[in-house]
Amino acid sequence: MDNFLEYHNYLKSASKLGYLYKKYFLHKFLLKLTGPSFLDVGCGIGKILELGSNDCLGIDINEFNVNYIKSKGLKAKVIPNTNVFPIEDSSFSSILCDQVLEHIEEPTILISEMDRVSKYTGKIIIGLPLEKGYKADPDHCKFYTPKSAIQLIEKDTNLKHKKTIFYPFPLKIFGKFFRQQFFYLVFEKVNE
């Protein structure tokens, strides 16, 4: 529990520059992918939820984050120890999972849950750090290339890769030099 409170406080202590970058650049970019209504998996303190519609929902394993989000009048739920999302099947047309997978040693349940709660033809957007960003955080436990992440996410799911976007610079090579260079994978749930 202490780790959850510590991490919650860490998220709240973001720099002013980081806050402005996320609010005016990164989150606006992500909203173009998700649309105004989405499920935010691993929502942290819910900064992107503030920019979405009233239909948005954040879920996180950290109850301090969830309580903080609720105190701001936004919707959030705790992911229980079973890792099964407290959400009905086929509930969301758009799901965002940004900077989460690299923190999880075994993400199979998380991926299958995103598959379960997404509607057919729904979009799932997964954001991951590149080399420099991955190495910058000691809390990261698994590194993914776009290819390895696509293989993991498509395995045993109905999720099919549609495109890869490098952000904020349009090339993967920038990930060797800049911590804030990410890649975003866009998947669509298909009926097979």
Side-chain angles (χ1 to χ4, degrees):
M1 198 56 80
D2 287 340
N3 288 344
F4 282 165
L5 180 57
E6 186 179 314
Y7 195 69
H8 171 72
N9 288 330
Y10 163 75
L11 291 175
K12 285 176 45 183
S13 70
S15 71
K16 188 72 168 168
L17 182 61
Y19 167 79
L20 292 172
Y21 166 72
K22 285 182 178 178
K23 182 173 183 177
Y24 294 105
F25 296 99
L26 178 61
H27 290 165
K28 289 193 182 288
F29 159 74
L30 292 174
L31 285 170
K32 286 180 183 176
L33 296 175
T34 63
S37 178
F38 55 89
L39 171 66
D40 187 3
V41 177
C43 59
I45 57 173
K47 288 300 180 186
I48 195 166
L49 292 172
E50 295 173 4
L51 303 174
S53 74
N54 289 334
D55 295 327
C56 290
L57 173 67
I59 58 174
D60 202 292
I61 62 169
N62 189 325
E63 69 181 80
F64 294 102
N65 290 345
V66 168
N67 291 336
Y68 178 78
I69 291 167
K70 287 179 174 180
S71 76
K72 297 179 117 201
L74 301 168
K75 297 176 188 169
K77 293 182 178 183
V78 174
I79 300 171
N81 291 339
T82 61
N83 294 321
V84 174
F85 296 174
I87 299 169
E88 297 292 322
D89 294 358
S90 305
S91 296
F92 284 88
S93 296
S94 187
I95 297 174
L96 174 64
C97 183
D98 190 19
Q99 310 305 310
V100 175
L101 286 186
E102 70 276 13
H103 293 272
I104 302 169
E105 190 64 46
E106 179 45 62
T108 307
I109 293 174
L110 178 83
I111 294 165
S112 68
E113 281 297 286
M114 286 191 287
D115 184 25
R116 180 183 67 79
V117 302
S118 64
K119 293 180 180 178
Y120 283 107
T121 71
K123 284 192 295 187
I124 295 88
I125 298 99
I126 299 182
L128 290 155
L130 288 159
E131 294 93 334
K132 185 99 174 175
Y134 177 81
K135 292 175 184 173
D137 189 341
D139 197 39
H140 290 165
C141 61
K142 197 158 190 168
F143 178 74
Y144 296 96
T145 63
K147 183 179 179 180
S148 67
I150 291 165
Q151 288 173 341
L152 173 72
I153 294 160
E154 286 187 341
K155 182 181 178 194
D156 301 324
T157 70
N158 292 314
L159 307 178
K160 296 298 171 210
H161 178 251
K162 293 298 175 186
K163 67 179 163 180
T164 301
I165 304 166
F166 295 97
Y167 186 87
F169 305 108
L171 298 172
K172 180 180 176 182
I173 189 72
F174 288 105
K176 292 185 182 292
F177 309 106
F178 299 105
R179 245 178 4 123
Q180 299 299 325
Q181 177 73 1
F182 308 112
F183 68 93
Y184 288 90
L185 303 173
V186 180
F187 295 86
E188 181 180 337
K189 183 167 182 175
V190 295
N191 191 3
E192 290 188 345

